[in-house]
Amino acid sequence: MNKRKVGFFHDFNLLALLLIPIGVSLSVVGYQLSTILKLPIFIDLIGTVMVSMIAGPWVGAATGVLGNLVNGMLNPISIPFAFVSLCTALATGYLSRWKMYTNIVGIVIAGIIVDVISASSSAVVSVLLFGGVTGTGTDFLTAAFLATGQQIWTSVISTNLISGTVNTIINMVLALLIIHNIPARFLIKLNYGWNYIPKKLRHLEESLS
């Protein structure tokens, strides 16, 4: 049985550190596409989710925050939303530690949890710092809820839950697709990558590592 020390200091090994710029790059590309095309969804957490799944919550959190800081150089609005990336990364990483992404039921439950956390944290930033209007494609949906007489908090959270569900599905599916195409010899060197190695390869990879 594979037993590893996990935690803040143990997760930041050399390979995990090398993953951070890769994750940041994926997130930055996704953010720029969403912003330029004025999409009502955001695919800016692909790298953050991927790194969180295989390298742990805190490595993922570092990836997410750095991604927002890089995006903030072109669009300062992105910087406060580093809080959302942080919350999403921590939730994803700890769920990965508990092996929630290794079966369909776990993936669905994890998706719901991450969606709620992401939507709630995003609402906090949107309402407190921007009054619910961030200049993105989701503003139209928020305006529609406000037009029905709903309060700003309810409108923003409802918008985030709707768009966030699509965001979560896209980010999670793409992250898992990337992970399942990473060679087992690399995954085994990451504290959480072990969970994504097919069982028939685990003993072989462990004996060769």
Side-chain angles (χ1 to χ4, degrees):
M1 182 178 180
N2 184 57
K3 292 183 178 180
R4 299 181 180 213
K5 292 181 178 180
V6 294
F8 184 86
F9 295 105
H10 297 293
D11 290 347
F12 282 93
N13 57 39
L14 179 59
L15 190 55
L17 291 174
L18 293 175
L19 271 179
I20 292 177
I22 296 175
V24 170
S25 299
L26 287 171
S27 295
V28 169
V29 170
Y31 179 82
Q32 295 304 323
L33 284 174
S34 299
T35 302
I36 293 172
L37 299 177
K38 289 290 183 179
L39 298 177
I41 59 173
F42 282 94
I43 50 175
D44 59 333
L45 290 175
I46 299 172
T48 300
V49 171
M50 180 199 71
V51 174
S52 299
M53 285 180 174
I54 59 179
W58 294 105
V59 182
T63 302
V65 171
L66 286 173
N68 280 85
L69 292 178
V70 172
N71 286 324
M73 295 178 184
L74 296 175
N75 185 1
I77 289 178
S78 174
I79 295 177
F81 285 94
F83 176 65
V84 181
S85 297
L86 173 67
C87 294
T88 301
L90 292 178
T92 301
Y94 280 109
L95 288 168
S96 182
R97 177 185 292 187
W98 301 326
K99 301 180 180 180
M100 295 292 286
Y101 297 103
T102 57
N103 59 79
I104 297 298
V105 175
I107 290 173
V108 172
I109 295 174
I112 294 172
I113 294 173
V114 171
D115 187 22
V116 172
I117 291 175
S118 177
S120 301
S121 57
S122 180
V124 170
V125 177
S126 296
V127 175
L128 294 184
L129 296 184
F130 304 105
V133 179
T134 57
T136 62
T138 58
D139 288 344
F140 296 104
L141 191 54
T142 300
F145 281 115
L146 287 171
T148 64
Q150 294 191 40
Q151 298 297 316
I152 183 65
W153 280 101
T154 305
S155 299
V156 173
I157 291 176
S158 298
T159 296
N160 289 346
L161 285 173
I162 294 173
S163 63
T165 299
V166 180
N167 297 345
T168 300
I169 292 173
I170 294 175
N171 288 316
M172 190 178 295
V173 168
L174 290 179
L176 286 171
L177 285 175
I178 294 172
I179 290 170
H180 285 296
N181 281 283
I182 297 176
R185 64 179 178 275
F186 291 113
L187 290 176
I188 199 173
K189 297 175 183 178
L190 295 161
N191 280 350
Y192 303 81
W194 179 263
N195 296 332
Y196 304 96
I197 300 176
K199 291 183 179 180
K200 62 183 180 181
L201 295 177
R202 289 184 182 180
H203 295 298
L204 176 60
E205 291 294 335
E206 189 172 41
S207 63
L208 294 176
S209 63

